[in-house]
Structure formats: C-alpha cells, structure tokens
Amino acid sequence: MNGTSTFRPVLCLVVLVALVALPVFADATGQPALTSLATRILIYGIAAASLNLVLGYGGMVSFGHAAFFGIGGYVVGILYQHYAAGEPLLGLIPGSNQLLVTLPAAILVSGAFAALIGALSLRTSGVQFIMITLAFAQMLFFFFVSLKAYGGDDGLIIRRANEVPGLNMRDKQTVYYVCLTATVIFFVLLWRVVNSRFGNVLVGLRQSERRMAAIGLPVYRYQLAAFVISGMGAGLAGALMANFMRFASPDMLHWTKSGELMVMVILGGVGTLFGPLAGAAVFIVLETVLAAWTEYWQLGVGAILLFVVLYTHGGVQALALRLVGRRP
C-alpha cells in the first residue's frame, strides 16, 4: 500500500476525531457558539455534496437545488405542526415529532419531487437545463410563500426539535452529534456511490454523453437516478436544518440559496468527495467573520471565490493537498 492510499484514510480519521471532540473544546474555551457554527457547516456540507453529485460528477448544472433543501425543511415543519394540532395532514397522514419518522419522510418527499422535476428537466441540456431547474425552484418558492396555513412568507416555527428516543434534542451538543452521525453516514454512502460502476458512468456522461449512448448505456435513466439521489441528499440536509434552526421558511427554497450551494461546491472543489464539505466550512466561516465587519460581506466572498477559481486549480481541497505535498 503506497503513501497516497494511506494518507487520505488517516486524514479522514483525524478530521473525524477532531469533529467529535469539537463540542468539548468549544466548552473548554468558553466558545459554545463554535458548536452551532460546526452544525451549520455539517448540514450545508451535506447539501453541497448532494449538488456536487450531479454538478461535479454528472456534469449537470442544477440551479434549483435549494428546492429540495427547502422541501426537506418544510416536511419536518408541516409534520410537526399537524402533530402539535392533533390533526392529520389531508385527513390521512398523522403528524409526527419523531426524527426517525420525519427524516425518512423528508428524504422520500424530496426524492419524489426530484424525480418529477428531473424527469422533465433532463429532456433538455445546457442553458435550458439550468433555466428549467431554476424555474421549478422558483415555482416551489412562490408556492410555499402562498401557503398561509403554514406561515406563508413568514415561515413555519417548529417549537421543539424532533425527538430521538434516549436523547435530549433540546441540547445543542446533542443536535450537533446527531448531525455529525448523519453526515458520516451520508458521506460513506456517497463514497460508495461515486466509486461504483454507477459513479464511473456519471463521470463518463460528464465527459461525453454521446459516447456513453453510443456504447449502449441509457443516458437519461442514469442522469435521472443521479438527480433523484442528489435531491434526497438535499432533502436530508433541509430536514436537519429545520430541526437545528427550529424554523422553516421559503428562503430555504430561494434561488440565492442554490447559488450559495454552488459557491460552496466551487470553493471546495468540483467533482471531489469532501471538497463541498470544505467549501461549506470556508463559506460559512467567511460569512460569519466578514459579516461582523461589514454588511457587504458578499464582496469579500466574491473576491476569494475569484482567487480560488483562477489560482487553486481544484478548490480548497486541491490547495490543501498541495500544501502538504500531495497530488490532488
């Protein structure tokens, strides 16, 4: 086994140990806000990595991925509201405040919407695909704005985070560890996907759809499957965010949120496994630090993004590997 094959697993283990120890470190240094910051990074890392599956591996530039992120959040919020009111949704579906129920529900509903949107959008390509995904996302955004029963433009308050048997979900550290567990499981599954035959086909489709079709592969079905998996991942992130913030709003579906996810992917490294997680960390830390200095923090992020695109040749992950003498 060569040095490269052992370096990355060791690095992943070190990062995981650091993440597990982070809440203890935050309390010891009197900075409990670090735990909440890290929770946001983990959640957005899942959402960005989901987008990266279709963008970086499949070559499909989706500018409406926030739709699935928001749907995941609203599934949690709507189920909680019906649970609190004691009224079944549509008179049939009982509400719930159990994370082991709402999380799978958010993933399935987001996947169903991704299947519908993908089935229509993937009949186009290029700029048309970008604009159709954006249009669908904005349609869903205005749909949730119009739902006055669920808060409309003001959003939907979730008074208590969903419960997990044996855990105190009112504790921010507990929520952090739940999100960390979900992140680890998600990235393990994502690693399995991108290193499978399916992942190899996606990379081939990114390079040349015509050639992949010429050897007899059903291009549309592979792209649709990737789009659905990606939407389910974004729905998972949205559900976790709704539990963390105890709030779901139409802003989760807005096109600017899709833009933020794309920036995270580009910052971290397009077509890399852990790059989007690193990009989410960089973006959120920059947002937190720069917003404390000026309300025009996006200008600073834009300048850094320009530097990353022009000079790092692969994002933050590639730059970090070069700094330690490793080939990206």
Side-chain angles (χ1 to χ4, degrees), residues 4 9 28 33 35 41 44 84 89 125-126 155 196 201 212 239 247 260 275 294 305:
T4 302
T35 302
I41 290 171
Y44 278 116
L89 175 62
S125 60
S196 65
V201 171
M212 299 302 284
F247 182 70
E260 289 179 4
T294 174
L305 179 63

Side-chain angles (χ1 to χ4, degrees), residues 236-268:
L236 167 64
L240 292 173
M241 182 60 76
N243 274 284
F244 171 64
M245 299 296 294
R246 290 187 291 176
F247 182 70
S249 76
D251 288 342
M252 296 177 72
L253 299 97
H254 199 258
W255 69 268
T256 54
K257 187 65 68 178
S258 295
E260 289 179 4
L261 296 179
M262 195 166 291
V263 168
M264 292 174 191
V265 173
I266 296 170
L267 278 174

Side-chain angles (χ1 to χ4, degrees), residues 42 48 136 150 168 206 235 255 267 280:
L42 293 175
F136 274 117
Y150 300 116
N168 178 18
R206 182 191 65 197
W255 69 268
L267 278 174

Side-chain angles (χ1 to χ4, degrees), residues 31-56:
Q31 296 179 325
L34 283 177
T35 302
S36 295
L37 183 69
T39 306
R40 290 180 60 212
I41 290 171
L42 293 175
I43 294 171
Y44 278 116
I46 293 175
S50 300
L51 172 60
N52 187 51
L53 179 64
V54 293
L55 174 63

Side-chain angles (χ1 to χ4, degrees), residues 18 107 110 155 159 166 177 191-192 194 200 229:
I107 294 171
S110 299
R159 298 196 179 278
Y177 282 119
W191 175 81
R192 293 283 295 176
V194 300
N200 292 332
I229 294 171

